[in-house]
Amino acid sequence: MIEVSREKFEELVAEALDTIPPELTKVMDNVVVVVVDDPPEPDLLGLYTGIPLTERGDWYAGVLPDRIEIYRNPICSICETEDDVVEEVQITVVHEIAHHFGIDDDRLHDLGW
């Protein structure tokens, strides 16, 4: 396990978001990404809550933003170095953004994520 301050961890999440291709970030809509220390259930590194872009229709208006939570303590607990944390944050951010685009866990697994 490695200790990473909340401030540093938030920077790592921001850096991971910066690696998302602009053509994808342009179509991300009504979503917020936040760092949370602990997940609502064990073994979660991140969680997407919302209505994926692929499921939105004409009815979609005036709703609260989708929420991507990246969990600091579980990620730090499985990492031995700061480089491990950087890699795990990147993987988790990409994974949760994929859910925003309507890609489920089975398909992500097929793609190697």
Side-chain angles (χ1 to χ4, degrees):
M1 178 175 177
I2 184 168
E3 278 295 319
V4 177
S5 71
R6 178 148 182 134
E7 180 180 41
K8 177 64 177 171
F9 194 88
E10 288 173 350
E11 289 174 13
L12 296 176
V13 170
E15 290 169 7
L17 288 168
D18 287 344
T19 67
I20 305 299
E23 56 271 13
L24 293 179
T25 58
K26 285 181 187 175
V27 295
M28 290 176 66
D29 183 45
N30 201 29
V31 61
V32 62
V33 179
V34 297
V35 170
V36 176
D37 286 337
D38 296 303
E41 59 187 75
D43 301 324
L44 283 179
L45 303 180
L47 181 65
Y48 168 77
T49 306
I51 302 167
L53 295 174
T54 54
E55 295 178 18
R56 296 179 185 180
D58 293 337
W59 56 268
Y60 185 85
V63 298
L64 292 174
D66 292 2
R67 183 175 173 96
I68 292 173
E69 295 181 347
I70 307 298
Y71 300 116
R72 183 174 67 92
N73 288 333
I75 289 175
C76 291
S77 73
I78 64 169
C79 295
E80 294 182 14
T81 67
E82 190 169 316
D83 287 342
D84 293 343
V85 175
V86 170
E87 181 179 357
E88 196 57 55
V89 165
Q90 178 70 39
I91 290 167
T92 304
V93 166
V94 168
H95 183 98
E96 300 310 327
I97 287 174
H99 290 321
H100 178 67
F101 282 97
I103 302 171
D104 65 16
D105 284 330
D106 290 336
R107 181 67 180 135
L108 282 167
H109 181 72
D110 292 343
L111 294 170
W113 290 96

